[in-house]
Amino acid sequence: MKAAVAGAVLLPLPVTAHAAENDVRPVSLPFLWPRAELDDVAADGAGGVWVGGGQGAYCVPWIDYCALYSAGNPVVRRWTGSSWREYPINGWTGNGLIGRVASGAGRTWIGGDATDSGYFRYLAVFDGSSFQRVESPSAASVGMLSTGPAGTWITQAVGPDSAEPRLLRRDGDAWRAFDVPGHDAFISDVQGLAPDDAWAVGARRGEDGTGWRPAVARFDGAAWTWTTPPDLGSEYPGITKVVPVGPDDVWVMAAGGLAHWDGSGWTVIDGPGRIADLAVDGTGTPWVVTAYYDGGTLHRYSGGTWQPVALPAGTRLNDIAVTGTSTIWGVGRADDAPVVVSN
């Protein structure tokens, strides 16, 4: 692992606090090796952001696949308001990338692995000066990692007949298992406003044991209970993200669109394309980025319509986050190179 270098970027482009909402511009990148990628961006709750990904990947081609492949080395950088800062990632061995950065309620966690599979075998928490490895509950891969006012949650990639728990919360220095009713559910995200008010979203098998349908569960501090999910169609049935804004103000996302809970029912909003990520700003306005192969475009929902937000030429985003009231951040690629943008 290469030693961390603080303040790698000395002359970043400034992010003007008074920029127009649609004035999205590139932010100078941290120092990265060739063949880098940025996969995740998360607000740190103090006006800054974290980005995660990898650098130095390589492929030795043979016919139509890689005879030798490496995802390179992990990347985690923090925007401090004027520059990017790098911190040691302790307990990491070998090659790989950081596929998940989760930050909230004063905590920041990362998840990484040697492959870009969406599952993690390395977990670590930031202690203020470096990332310290945290052992996962078992040999199973971690499939979901979230943190915030409702605590730090993970899922384990285990089969329906496994004795290993599938959903766990970090309690002190240990992982505590929680039962999700039935063994046919896939949890994609957990977020909450307090330890006794959290939401989980994903997909469940149909009542006849076949097919999948959207799934929403709510946590009261002691147990999870399934609730009626929104009807987001059958083409992309799984709900992939939840953003609670208030007890009766919750947004969820599926590939085909959004749904909003107002305390009594769901209102479904068709997306501007297949949706890859969702963020809700301090004014209650949802922002989405479309799937990378649908253009990786940025949109905000206002006045009952989707308003496209212009991006720098050639930019495609894959993940977004919000800091402050309405400062949007995004990571993706532009001209086959990693890019960070903000307004």
Side-chain angles (χ1 to χ4, degrees):
M1 179 72 186
K2 189 176 179 181
V5 179
V9 175
L10 299 180
L11 294 174
L13 292 175
V15 180
T16 305
H18 301 290
E21 288 181 328
N22 286 7
D23 184 15
V24 177
R25 300 173 294 157
V27 177
S28 289
L29 289 172
F31 172 77
L32 298 172
W33 298 353
R35 296 183 65 87
E37 64 177 85
L38 296 175
D39 295 321
D40 204 5
V41 58
D44 67 3
V49 296
W50 294 88
V51 295
Q55 60 183 351
Y58 66 82
C59 168
V60 178
W62 187 76
I63 306 177
D64 58 354
Y65 70 97
C66 296
L68 293 174
Y69 170 77
S70 170
N73 287 329
V75 166
V76 179
R77 304 287 190 274
R78 186 184 192 183
W79 175 261
T80 63
S82 59
S83 64
W84 294 99
R85 185 171 180 183
E86 183 179 3
Y87 300 92
I89 306 174
N90 295 323
W92 181 282
T93 58
N95 300 116
L97 52 78
I98 301 301
R100 176 66 170 142
V101 183
S103 192
R107 297 181 295 265
T108 298
W109 285 72
I110 56 175
D113 201 84
T115 62
D116 189 9
S117 65
Y119 293 92
F120 316 121
R121 294 189 180 276
Y122 174 86
L123 295 174
V125 64
F126 186 59
D127 67 4
S129 59
S130 62
F131 284 93
Q132 302 296 337
R133 182 167 190 172
V134 175
E135 293 298 326
S136 54
S138 72
S141 296
V142 172
M144 185 279 303
L145 165 64
S146 71
T147 195
T152 299
W153 296 81
I154 63 171
T155 60
Q156 293 195 108
V158 297
D161 298 324
S162 173
E164 293 289 345
R166 291 172 296 135
L167 180 64
L168 303 100
R169 186 182 69 192
R170 189 71 175 173
D171 283 0
D173 294 328
W175 294 104
R176 179 184 175 187
F178 285 86
D179 179 57
V180 177
H183 295 278
D184 58 352
F186 179 84
I187 302 299
S188 300
D189 192 22
V190 175
Q191 301 291 338
L193 300 170
D196 60 354
D197 184 11
W199 297 74
V201 296
R204 297 176 66 194
R205 290 283 189 185
E207 294 181 0
D208 60 357
T210 62
W212 292 91
R213 57 177 177 170
V216 176
R218 197 163 187 182
F219 185 64
D220 63 5
W224 288 94
T225 303
W226 293 117
T227 66
T228 302
D231 182 4
L232 286 163
S234 59
E235 185 176 4
Y236 309 106
I239 300 175
T240 54
K241 190 168 185 177
V242 57
V243 182
V245 180
D248 295 327
D249 185 2
V250 179
W251 291 89
V252 299
M253 175 195 96
L258 305 183
H260 180 252
W261 170 260
D262 63 4
S264 60
W266 293 98
T267 299
V268 175
I269 302 168
D270 290 337
R274 287 178 296 174
I275 299 175
D277 199 17
L278 161 71
V280 181
D281 68 24
T283 70
T285 299
W287 298 68
V288 301
V289 60
T290 62
Y292 190 82
Y293 291 105
D294 272 4
T297 55
L298 182 64
H299 302 257
R300 60 194 297 269
Y301 190 75
S302 180
T305 62
W306 287 108
Q307 300 175 354
V309 179
L311 296 172
T315 298
R316 293 187 177 192
L317 301 180
N318 53 46
D319 202 71
I320 55 175
V322 170
T323 62
T325 301
S326 58
T327 301
I328 194 79
W329 290 78
V331 295
R333 299 191 72 78
D335 299 325
D336 202 32
V339 66
V340 178
V341 299
S342 181
N343 61 347

